[in-house]
């Protein structure tokens, strides 16, 4: 199973649409957004595969975002949670709360996907691989990630400006 990972879109609906199209064309079978969506318009662009979202520190109207997620059939994981995809345990969090990060790390998932820093990161710490796909806002290069759970291969994809 291939997972498309994006974060920190900060109400850039057009750029999000381009990023999702890129991920789907690369074979993404699920889409995970690591927070800082900021507007329902962005939620409505994360379609074409099952989608999961977490709340970020700039998501100031969570009720409107949850309503948009219900309209599109997406799953809201609140401030962070663990899901199972392709036989792997995947924790998803925005990354702004050390307490939430520690809570999910303690569950020893196979992966933790996060955002917040706007800097791409891929590092293994103990049993868990930590992946931040980068950002689609306030980054020198706009990036998203594609993870193949069967092979553990991760690819960073550049989204055109």
């Amino acid at each position: 199973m291939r997972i498309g990972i994006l974060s920190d879109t900060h109400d850039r609906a057009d750029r999000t649409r381009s990023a999702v199209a890129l991920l789907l064309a690369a074979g993404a079978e699920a889409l995970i957004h690591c927070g800082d969506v900021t507007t329902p318009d962005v939620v409505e662009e994360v379609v074409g595969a099952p989608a999961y979202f977490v709340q970020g520190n700039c998501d100031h109207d969570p009720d409107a975002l949850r309503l948009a997620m219900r309209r599109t059939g997406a799953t809201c994981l609140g401030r962070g949670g663990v899901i199972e995809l392709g036989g792997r345990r995947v924790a998803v969090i925005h990354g702004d709360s050390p307490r939430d990060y520690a809570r999910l790390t303690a569950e020893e998932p196979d992966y933790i996907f996060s955002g917040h820093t706007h800097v791409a990161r891929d590092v293994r710490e103990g049993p868990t691989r930590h992946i931040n796909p980068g950002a689609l806002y306030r980054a020198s290069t706009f990036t998203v990630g594609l993870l193949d759970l069967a092979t553990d291969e991760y690819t960073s994809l550049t989204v055109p400006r």
Side-chain angles (χ1 to χ4, degrees):
M1 177 174 217
R2 291 184 181 166
I3 308 299
I5 313 161
L6 58 163
S7 189
D8 296 281
T9 50
H10 290 272
D11 77 7
R12 299 309 192 267
D14 290 343
R15 195 171 298 142
T16 301
R17 183 180 314 114
S18 296
V20 168
L22 182 67
L23 288 166
L24 293 174
E29 300 166 78
L31 300 166
I32 296 180
H33 194 298
C34 300
D36 279 359
V37 176
T38 67
T39 63
D41 292 348
V42 170
V43 172
E44 293 170 4
E45 296 299 337
V46 184
V47 294
Y52 303 84
F53 290 83
V54 294
Q55 182 181 351
N57 61 299
C58 291
D59 293 329
H60 301 297
D61 191 351
D63 292 336
L65 295 175
R66 279 193 291 274
L67 180 60
M69 289 174 210
R70 277 196 296 275
R71 280 195 305 268
T72 62
T75 300
C76 179
L77 300 173
R79 291 287 300 162
V82 178
I83 55 176
E84 187 165 324
L85 296 170
R88 305 287 185 176
R89 294 181 65 242
V90 178
V92 185
I93 193 164
H94 182 57
D96 60 308
S97 167
R99 171 184 270 163
D100 287 338
Y101 208 100
R103 172 180 57 87
L104 292 176
T105 300
E107 295 192 34
E108 295 187 350
D110 297 297
Y111 300 95
I112 294 181
F113 300 159
S114 66
H116 186 60
T117 65
H118 295 227
V119 177
R121 177 178 185 244
D122 177 14
V123 62
R124 187 172 303 276
E125 295 175 359
T128 304
R129 188 170 179 184
H130 299 254
I131 296 174
N132 181 327
L136 296 178
Y137 175 74
R138 284 195 186 157
S140 57
T141 303
F142 301 132
T143 57
V144 293
L146 184 71
L147 175 66
D148 187 323
L149 294 175
T151 64
D152 198 39
E153 181 181 340
Y154 179 74
T155 306
S156 181
L157 304 171
T158 300
V159 178
R161 289 192 171 268

